């Protein structure tokens, strides 16, 4: 099984039981908007936290930036690595780490120019609260499926000195109360 991110010529195989976005057409739109907001440039270092199987990582890598994807589930990290090889994204690397435990998280974004966050419904509270002024990427794009955790984490980013630049909302799950938000923050 697989889906395609047409704008980036990326094929995304996935395993049964792996998390994927079920609305392929709107996932393409969401990925394109997130990549446009982050605006990765050749030679930049980008970190994609909660990367899953590489849904954002590989399109970001197409820009020429070096992208490190970090995921908590080893099976997804392994699938992301295989997807990077399949798609010829040698500038994408992947690590497995518990992103809900603040200990040692800063090693992933230390020296990064930009960061993409795509956490599960619980949000990325440990990540955003762990950001230190000397290690903060210049731009953060936050993709969220939960408006409450997004608002909580956006407030922390504001306290850290980030300015809210733009927001988009997408209804990937029609006829439900669930929406996806994509927000951009800069310092």
């Amino acid at each position: 099984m697989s889906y395609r991110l047409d704008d980036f010529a990326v094929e995304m195989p996935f395993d049964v039981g792996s998390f994927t976005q079920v609305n392929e057409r709107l996932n393409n739109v969401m990925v394109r908007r997130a990549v446009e907001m982050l605006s990765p440039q050749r030679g930049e270092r980008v970190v994609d936290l909660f990367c899953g199987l590489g849904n954002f990582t590989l399109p970001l890598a197409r820009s020429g930036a070096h992208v490190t994807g970090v995921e908590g589930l080893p099976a997804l990290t392994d699938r992301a690595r295989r997807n990077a090889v399949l798609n010829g994204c040698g500038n994408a690397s992947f690590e497995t780490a518990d992103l809900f435990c603040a200990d040692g998280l800063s090693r992933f974004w230390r020296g990064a120019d930009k960061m993409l966050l795509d956490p599960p419904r619980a949000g990325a509270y440990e990540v955003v609260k762990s950001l230190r002024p000397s290690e903060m990427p210049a731009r953060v794009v936050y993709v969220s499926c939960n408006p409450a955790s997004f608002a909580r984490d956006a407030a922390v980013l504001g306290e850290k000195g980030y300015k809210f630049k733009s927001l988009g909302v997408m209804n990937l799950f029609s006829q439900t109360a669930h929406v996806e938000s994509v927000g951009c923050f800069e310092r």
Side-chain angles (χ1 to χ4, degrees):
M1 293 179 292
S2 69
Y3 63 92
R4 186 164 176 79
L5 294 166
D6 293 322
D7 289 351
F8 303 96
V10 170
E11 189 70 27
M12 297 295 289
F14 61 91
D15 302 315
V16 173
S18 294
F19 175 82
T20 61
Q21 292 290 355
V22 296
N23 189 326
E24 185 175 348
R25 183 179 67 79
L26 286 178
N27 182 52
N28 269 278
V29 173
M30 180 175 64
V31 170
R32 182 177 61 246
R33 287 187 181 160
V35 171
E36 287 170 358
M37 284 179 172
L38 200 60
S39 186
Q41 303 298 310
R42 181 169 302 284
E44 285 184 328
R45 184 168 172 267
V46 178
V47 62
D48 176 10
L49 302 182
F50 307 94
C51 72
L53 49 87
N55 191 56
F56 292 99
T57 316
L58 301 185
L60 289 166
R62 289 284 195 227
S63 70
H66 177 76
V67 186
T68 301
V70 184
E71 172 56 48
L73 299 172
L76 284 177
T77 307
D78 181 57
R79 170 48 72 189
R81 284 185 186 110
R82 288 183 281 154
N83 287 349
V85 170
L86 172 72
N87 287 284
C89 293
N91 56 326
S93 59
F94 298 90
E95 295 194 43
T96 303
D98 180 357
L99 295 169
F100 296 104
C101 175
D103 294 337
L105 285 181
S106 66
R107 67 187 161 102
F108 296 116
W109 57 78
R110 191 175 298 126
D113 299 293
K114 297 174 181 169
M115 175 190 295
L116 186 131
L117 299 168
D118 182 23
R121 292 192 65 74
Y125 186 69
E126 291 300 324
V127 170
V128 296
K129 123 179 149 177
S130 297
L131 291 169
R132 301 287 174 256
S134 63
E135 305 166 338
M136 294 181 355
R139 182 174 297 161
V140 174
V141 168
Y142 192 128
V143 180
S144 176
C145 61
N146 183 347
S149 60
F150 177 82
R152 177 201 63 210
D153 296 347
V156 174
L157 288 169
E159 291 168 6
K160 299 281 183 170
Y162 283 96
K163 303 287 186 234
F164 188 60
K165 293 296 183 184
S166 60
L167 175 69
V169 178
M170 302 184 67
N171 184 4
L172 269 70
F173 316 103
S174 61
Q175 301 182 9
T176 73
H178 301 288
V179 295
E180 290 277 335
S181 303
V182 183
C184 182
F185 303 83
E186 291 181 351
R187 56 180 200 105

